[in-house]
Amino acid sequence: MVSSVVGLGVEIIGLDCAIGDLVVIGEGQGVEAEVVATNRDSIRCMPLGRLTGINTGTPAKAKGVPVLVPTGAGLFGRVLDGMGRPIDGKGPLVFDQLVPLDNDTPSAMHRARIETPLQLGVRVLDTLTTVGKGQRMGLFAGSGVGKSSLLSMIARGTDAEVSVIALVGERGREVREFLEDDLGEAGLARSIVVVSTSDEPALMRLRAAFTATRIAESFRDRGADVMLMMDSLTRVAMAQREIGLSVGEPPATRGYPPSTFSVLARLLERAGTAETGSVTGMYTVLVDGDDHNEPIADSARSILDGHVVLDRKLAVSGHYPSVDPLGSISRVASKVNTPENSRAAAALRKVLAARKAAQDLLDVGAYQPGSNPMVDAAVQHEDDINLFLQQRMDDQTPAAQSWDQLNRLTRTLGGM
């Protein structure tokens, strides 16, 4: 039975349970909770629902079954909650099988090498930060800079066989807007969406991230190339912070307990390649106060295989997607691109870097034309460069076409 309810946690005595087991608190259907800590005399649980009506003495019992997640092609076009239950009003799920939520990370020695590029349909990403099948990339930005919009462009433009989208800690108002406006009917039809809004318990938000990952893994096990998009990784970390602090972990960097960083590593390492199939991960990271060196951003960047930086200055100037090509990098680009394409990407980066270095002189009118050919080319062909880097949300450009445009642009720039 319940011995105490303090903050977000429930302490239960009289049950013999292990970490990760489910218990039901209360009569009838009750409230499900997961065991997150144990000691000699009691267990500590975090609820998966509201604790209204739960008090000292409320009966509790072990559920006796592991946490299971539905999988299969019947999930396409469906919207699920953090427990894998449908919330879209389209009736019961049609699934192939139920699989355990927990799964082993692919062996480091048996992972396939990343050697094949994955089309995203976004010119600046496909060329300047090329993503390979099985790579894990972070989209780093402050609030309101266009992370969700960029994810929706990727969901519609990728050539991955399966798209799994996790909206973790999202505002309830924005869920339908994302599904109907950003993702659209065509994008949703080839996607599986897992949603846990900001008002749900911390454990449910954390569970949503692992449920989406487990669904993506189930398709990878069948040999498919899967695109897993998670918005946002920061809110996953915040959920784990709430859980850790509630069970007595000491706060460390900026209040995050040590378990937060181990959970991030465990979650991110489950994506990637396996012996067959791949899960390409795109994770948004909400940087605190536009500080790209805050703890979660720094930890995620050290684990991921590359990062895309969205710049607020570009966003407020109407430059979309607001990707900073000089601040973004893909660690596998050189392995998946042809030498010709790599040279073209490097050439445009050099021109952009030269323009950035001379920006102060250009702003005050002190730059002398002819001083640097690359700056001259950047200034003369500014409109052409911006036309290549910017893209409408409803424009999905095939990767081959993006490379053709970049090669033509760099030839023009090199001729100056």
Side-chain angles (χ1 to χ4, degrees), residues 4 11 20 61 75 114 122 124 126 128 156 206 218 295-296 305 308 311 316 329 341 354 358 366 387 413:
S4 69
E11 188 168 323
K61 61 181 179 180
L75 273 61
I114 300 175
V122 183
V124 64
D126 282 334
L128 299 186
R156 294 193 302 270
L206 183 66
S218 70
I296 299 303
D305 305 314
V308 174
D311 190 283
V316 299
I329 190 169
N341 287 341
L387 185 63
L413 295 173

Side-chain angles (χ1 to χ4, degrees), residues 21-103:
D21 287 353
L22 289 179
V23 300
V24 179
I25 304 171
E27 302 289 353
Q29 291 186 343
V31 178
E32 288 190 349
E34 182 176 318
V35 179
V36 294
T38 69
N39 58 39
R40 182 179 301 175
D41 302 316
S42 64
I43 59 174
R44 187 82 172 180
C45 301
M46 295 291 291
L48 291 163
R50 301 187 186 280
L51 288 174
T52 304
I54 303 300
N55 59 14
T56 302
T58 299
K61 61 181 179 180
K63 194 167 183 180
V65 294
V67 180
L68 299 175
V69 176
T71 64
L75 273 61
F76 285 117
R78 301 303 302 269
V79 183
L80 315 177
D81 68 3
M83 298 285 286
R85 301 171 300 200
I87 57 173
D88 51 12
K90 296 181 180 179
L93 287 178
V94 178
F95 54 86
D96 294 347
Q97 61 178 331
L98 294 170
V99 296
L101 177 66
D102 290 328
N103 195 32

Side-chain angles (χ1 to χ4, degrees), residues 6 14-15 24 90 122-123 127 134 174 207 214 230-231 240 243 250 388-389:
V6 180
L15 290 181
V24 179
K90 296 181 180 179
V122 183
R123 286 190 294 271
T127 55
E174 295 183 341
R207 176 71 61 81
R214 187 66 186 94
M230 191 172 295
D231 185 15
Q240 179 58 34
I243 295 169
F388 176 78
L389 296 178

Side-chain angles (χ1 to χ4, degrees), residues 146-186:
K147 299 183 299 299
S148 298
S149 297
L150 182 56
L151 278 186
S152 67
M153 292 179 68
I154 294 171
R156 294 193 302 270
T158 182
D159 59 356
E161 301 168 53
V162 182
S163 291
V164 180
I165 304 172
L167 303 179
V168 181
E170 193 64 82
R171 304 175 187 89
R173 174 187 62 82
E174 295 183 341
V175 172
R176 282 192 62 186
E177 292 180 4
F178 176 82
L179 296 175
E180 297 173 4
D181 299 339
D182 294 343
L183 190 58
E185 186 177 347

Side-chain angles (χ1 to χ4, degrees), residues 195-209:
V195 176
S196 181
T197 53
S198 59
D199 62 316
E200 295 190 46
L203 189 60
M204 184 67 92
R205 282 176 270 141
L206 183 66
R207 176 71 61 81

Side-chain angles (χ1 to χ4, degrees), residues 10 14 58 117 144-145 147 199 213 280 284 286 300 304 359 408-409:
V10 180
T58 299
V145 185
K147 299 183 299 299
D199 62 316
T213 301
T280 303
T284 70
L286 182 63
L304 295 167
Q359 190 62 52
R408 288 198 300 270
L409 175 62

Side-chain angles (χ1 to χ4, degrees), residues 131-148:
V131 173
K133 291 182 179 179
Q135 185 176 356
R136 301 157 306 164
M137 288 284 284
L139 305 181
F140 291 72
S143 58
V145 185
K147 299 183 299 299
S148 298

Side-chain angles (χ1 to χ4, degrees), residues 54-392:
I54 303 300
N55 59 14
T56 302
T58 299
K61 61 181 179 180
K63 194 167 183 180
V65 294
V67 180
L68 299 175
V69 176
T71 64
L75 273 61
F76 285 117
R78 301 303 302 269
V79 183
L80 315 177
D81 68 3
M83 298 285 286
R85 301 171 300 200
I87 57 173
D88 51 12
K90 296 181 180 179
L93 287 178
V94 178
F95 54 86
D96 294 347
Q97 61 178 331
L98 294 170
V99 296
L101 177 66
D102 290 328
N103 195 32
D104 293 333
T105 301
S107 168
M109 297 306 298
H110 294 93
R111 287 184 185 265
R113 292 173 61 93
I114 300 175
E115 298 175 329
T116 307
L118 178 69
Q119 173 180 295
L120 302 182
V122 183
R123 286 190 294 271
V124 64
L125 300 184
D126 282 334
T127 55
L128 299 186
T129 56
T130 310
V131 173
K133 291 182 179 179
Q135 185 176 356
R136 301 157 306 164
M137 288 284 284
L139 305 181
F140 291 72
S143 58
V145 185
K147 299 183 299 299
S148 298
S149 297
L150 182 56
L151 278 186
S152 67
M153 292 179 68
I154 294 171
R156 294 193 302 270
T158 182
D159 59 356
E161 301 168 53
V162 182
S163 291
V164 180
I165 304 172
L167 303 179
V168 181
E170 193 64 82
R171 304 175 187 89
R173 174 187 62 82
E174 295 183 341
V175 172
R176 282 192 62 186
E177 292 180 4
F178 176 82
L179 296 175
E180 297 173 4
D181 299 339
D182 294 343
L183 190 58
E185 186 177 347
L188 180 59
R190 58 195 298 266
S191 304
I192 302 163
V193 183
V194 180
V195 176
S196 181
T197 53
S198 59
D199 62 316
E200 295 190 46
L203 189 60
M204 184 67 92
R205 282 176 270 141
L206 183 66
R207 176 71 61 81
F210 282 94
T211 295
T213 301
R214 187 66 186 94
I215 292 173
E217 288 173 323
S218 70
F219 285 98
R220 178 182 64 189
D221 294 342
R222 304 177 186 184
D225 293 315
V226 186
M227 172 64 75
L228 171 63
M229 290 166 278
M230 191 172 295
D231 185 15
S232 73
L233 192 64
T234 305
R235 294 191 181 107
V236 175
M238 289 179 175
Q240 179 58 34
R241 176 170 63 181
E242 291 181 36
I243 295 169
L245 294 178
S246 293
V247 299
E249 279 194 79
T253 310
R254 292 201 186 178
Y256 288 100
S259 65
T260 301
F261 303 99
S262 63
V263 165
L264 287 182
R266 180 160 54 94
L267 178 65
L268 296 176
E269 284 294 342
R270 283 176 59 171
T273 58
E275 293 187 68
T276 59
S278 66
V279 174
T280 303
M282 302 292 290
Y283 303 89
T284 70
V285 179
L286 182 63
V287 295
D288 186 10
D290 290 342
D291 176 12
H292 289 262
N293 293 316
E294 57 92 19
I296 299 303
D298 195 47
S299 177
R301 191 164 48 241
S302 69
I303 301 170
L304 295 167
D305 305 314
H307 54 274
V308 174
V309 175
L310 304 186
D311 190 283
R312 189 175 298 277
K313 292 181 180 178
L314 293 176
V316 299
S317 68
H319 181 115
Y320 286 102
S322 53
V323 174
D324 174 11
L326 296 178
S328 306
I329 190 169
S330 169
R331 294 177 180 171
V332 304
S334 61
K335 298 179 176 63
V336 299
N337 283 335
T338 64
E340 179 187 7
N341 287 341
S342 295
R343 286 192 294 270
L348 180 56
R349 282 181 175 274
K350 289 178 181 178
V351 170
L352 294 173
R355 167 66 187 260
K356 184 175 182 178
Q359 190 62 52
D360 289 344
L361 295 176
L362 291 167
D363 289 341
V364 299
Y367 175 76
Q368 295 296 321
S371 302
N372 187 326
M374 286 192 289
V375 177
D376 295 338
V379 172
Q380 183 168 348
H381 295 280
E382 180 179 9
D383 291 341
D384 293 332
I385 294 173
N386 287 333
L387 185 63
F388 176 78
L389 296 178
Q390 296 181 49
Q391 191 170 339
R392 299 191 317 273

